[in-house]
Amino acid sequence: MPDREKESPEQLKQLGRTEGAEGAERAERAERAERTGRLRRVEQSERSEQAERIGQPETDAERRRRRAQFLRDLTEARELRDRVQPRRAKVARLRHAMRMRTFRW
């Protein structure tokens, strides 16, 4: 298969691809990479702060911040799983709705 960089715009149109769509995909990938890079830097700084404070009790604000980060990561993982396995996600939604309907207050 020829490289995509070598394909002409006419060939891309025939294949159903456009330059804009590929550019948008590249931009999205770059944005994701930048976001994960920022997260890694923040996590590293948090680890270094924690290493400095070994033996000291953590504050409520720090615990809430870590919990919020954990919940964000958990939600992101669930959304990813739902996108990758849409049938399983639909079944889970239906099962949850059934549980909610049959729950008595």
Side-chain angles (χ1 to χ4, degrees):
M1 188 170 182
D3 290 336
R4 289 199 168 102
E5 290 81 22
K6 294 179 183 176
E7 292 176 352
S8 69
E10 294 81 25
Q11 290 172 326
L12 289 172
K13 286 179 187 174
Q14 287 175 345
L15 293 172
R17 299 185 202 121
T18 61
E19 291 282 332
E22 288 183 0
E25 289 175 20
R26 276 193 219 115
E28 186 179 334
R29 272 188 255 126
E31 182 182 331
R32 259 189 263 132
E34 181 181 331
R35 196 173 346 148
T36 56
R38 268 187 270 144
L39 286 174
R40 286 188 185 124
R41 285 192 295 273
V42 169
E43 289 171 355
Q44 287 174 350
S45 66
E46 287 177 358
R47 282 191 206 120
S48 64
E49 290 174 7
Q50 289 174 354
E52 292 172 3
R53 293 184 303 106
I54 291 178
Q56 298 176 355
E58 74 175 345
T59 64
D60 285 342
E62 291 169 346
R63 188 187 63 76
R64 284 192 301 268
R65 192 177 313 116
R66 280 190 312 106
R67 182 176 186 273
Q69 179 62 45
F70 169 76
L71 292 175
R72 278 192 299 269
D73 291 344
L74 183 63
T75 303
E76 183 180 347
R78 283 183 179 146
E79 290 171 356
L80 176 63
R81 186 184 61 205
D82 291 349
R83 280 195 309 269
V84 173
Q85 299 175 336
R87 190 175 300 160
R88 183 176 288 182
K90 180 181 177 184
V91 169
R93 276 195 313 272
L94 293 173
R95 200 175 294 129
H96 179 71
M98 182 64 73
R99 272 196 314 269
M100 295 282 84
R101 279 197 301 265
T102 58
F103 182 76
R104 302 214 182 253
W105 291 99

